Amino acid sequence: MQVSIACTEQNLRSRSSTWVTFGSQISDETAEDVLTVAYEHGVNLFDTAEVYAAGKAERTLGNILKRKGWRRSSYVITTKIFWGGQAETERGLSRKHIIEGLRGSLERLQLGYVDIVFANHSDPNSPMEEIVRAMTYVINQGLALYWGTSRWGAAEIMEAYSMARQFNLIPPVCEQAEHHLFQREKVEMQLPELYHKIGVGSVTWSPLACGLITSKYEGQGPDTCRATIKGYQWLKDKVQSEDGRKQQTRVMDLLPIAHQLGCTVAQLAIAWCLHSEGVSSVLLGVSSAEQLIEHLGALQVLSQLTPQTVTEIDGLLGSTPHSKK
């Protein structure tokens, strides 16, 4: 089961809130160890999706939460709806699947509600009004407290917001988007306008570019890295591509800065993501409790990221996005 962590900038500094995502790469025992250590270190938000391990991820998370007996008010649960099953009616963002898919997630999680339900992809086959009305319905029914989007375009998010305002419905509160040192356009050029105008925040994922920003793929990658796992041929191709090799070379250029700050390149990359304007939280993958604790070390690095350091990083990587005029 794959586990991911996300830390808000404010809460990372105080170690009072981080996010954990349940996927499908580590054992249930390891997942419980990670969840326990995370909660004891102030982690209070756990994220999953109906598609992860075909629902097993939600069941595992639900079983762990039930065994732990933590107060429901002391943590936040989010899940994502889009790919639910094999049937045509079990996918997408139709009113039918949003309602039935979320109820299925709640049954697997053994919970009465989730704090945020994310639309895990945009759906051109479902009218925006239908999507917004369905999300408003599940919130009004007490099945979720808020809703958000994942991998939506800025124009689609704005359309949902406008639809909600037009019909007195509930708008989305945040967008999940890929964001790291080599993927910056959307979060830094497109979403800030929404952040300033309508208050939609960003929950970003893949801050380490699937491990590319750790230097672990230099030479012969470790047998345990995701690029060697069945079903991850796309990642292996990415790592071995010309762009991938160039990015790995640039990552090595960050080592002097990391050494100067007394941290790892991974911690530097996580802190850099948290430093970005409009980024509320950062999701990242871990495979053990020890790795989780290491990633939490980014909190010391964040306070050391001066404008000069950020400018130096941008200069080394040459990945700063530019507005199109």
Side-chain angles (χ1 to χ4, degrees), residues 7-17 274 279-281 299 302:
C7 312
T8 67
E9 178 178 346
Q10 176 182 359
N11 292 327
L12 182 57
R13 289 188 178 123
S14 63
R15 295 177 73 98
S16 64
S17 175
L274 286 166
V279 173
S280 304
S281 305
L299 66 94
L302 182 59

Side-chain angles (χ1 to χ4, degrees), residues 99-116:
I99 295 172
E100 293 178 346
L102 180 54
R103 284 175 174 165
S105 291
L106 291 175
E107 182 179 355
R108 290 186 291 273
L109 288 165
Q110 304 176 65
L111 295 174
Y113 68 93
V114 294
D115 295 85
I116 306 175

Side-chain angles (χ1 to χ4, degrees), residues 35-49:
L35 193 69
T36 302
V37 171
Y39 188 81
E40 291 175 350
H41 279 75
V43 174
N44 71 354
L45 192 154
F46 308 105
D47 173 75
T48 185

Side-chain angles (χ1 to χ4, degrees), residues 214-250:
T214 60
S215 72
K216 71 179 181 181
Y217 290 121
E218 281 293 303
Q220 184 67 34
D223 294 336
T224 56
C225 72
R226 275 190 286 178
T228 64
I229 299 175
K230 183 179 179 181
Y232 281 83
Q233 182 63 40
W234 62 270
L235 178 55
K236 185 176 182 180
D237 293 341
K238 179 179 180 179
V239 170
Q240 295 179 347
S241 68
E242 182 178 353
D243 285 343
R245 294 184 184 280
K246 287 181 179 178
Q247 289 174 358
Q248 291 173 65
T249 300
R250 292 176 180 174

Side-chain angles (χ1 to χ4, degrees), residues 82-95:
F82 191 91
W83 293 281
Q86 297 300 316
E88 188 67 28
T89 54
E90 296 173 327
R91 300 190 297 271
L93 297 177
S94 66
R95 179 181 177 88

Side-chain angles (χ1 to χ4, degrees), residues 6-170:
C7 312
T8 67
E9 178 178 346
Q10 176 182 359
N11 292 327
L12 182 57
R13 289 188 178 123
S14 63
R15 295 177 73 98
S16 64
S17 175
T18 50
W19 289 24
V20 175
T21 297
F22 278 77
S24 58
Q25 292 297 326
I26 62 177
S27 68
D28 292 355
E29 292 76 13
T30 301
E32 183 162 355
D33 288 344
V34 170
L35 193 69
T36 302
V37 171
Y39 188 81
E40 291 175 350
H41 279 75
V43 174
N44 71 354
L45 192 154
F46 308 105
D47 173 75
T48 185
E50 62 174 351
V51 70
Y52 294 163
K56 183 178 182 294
E58 290 177 324
R59 291 191 185 92
T60 300
L61 176 56
N63 289 336
I64 294 173
L65 292 173
K66 185 176 182 180
R67 283 195 296 271
K68 290 299 180 181
W70 296 324
R71 299 186 319 279
R72 181 63 181 90
S73 58
S74 69
Y75 57 83
V76 174
I77 299 295
T78 71
T79 195
K80 297 181 282 293
I81 301 294
F82 191 91
W83 293 281
Q86 297 300 316
E88 188 67 28
T89 54
E90 296 173 327
R91 300 190 297 271
L93 297 177
S94 66
R95 179 181 177 88
K96 177 178 176 64
H97 182 55
I98 288 176
I99 295 172
E100 293 178 346
L102 180 54
R103 284 175 174 165
S105 291
L106 291 175
E107 182 179 355
R108 290 186 291 273
L109 288 165
Q110 304 176 65
L111 295 174
Y113 68 93
V114 294
D115 295 85
I116 306 175
V117 54
F118 285 96
N120 202 16
H121 197 281
S122 60
D123 185 1
N125 296 318
S126 297
M128 188 61 73
E129 182 179 346
E130 178 178 345
I131 295 171
V132 179
R133 286 190 181 278
M135 288 298 190
T136 299
Y137 174 83
V138 297
I139 291 174
N140 288 338
Q141 291 295 307
L143 306 180
L145 302 184
Y146 306 91
W147 76 280
T149 59
S150 178
R151 297 187 292 179
W152 281 32
E156 294 168 322
I157 298 171
M158 193 66 203
E159 182 183 358
Y161 176 86
S162 299
M163 193 70 66
R165 288 293 175 246
Q166 180 180 355
F167 295 108
N168 196 29
L169 303 173
I170 300 173

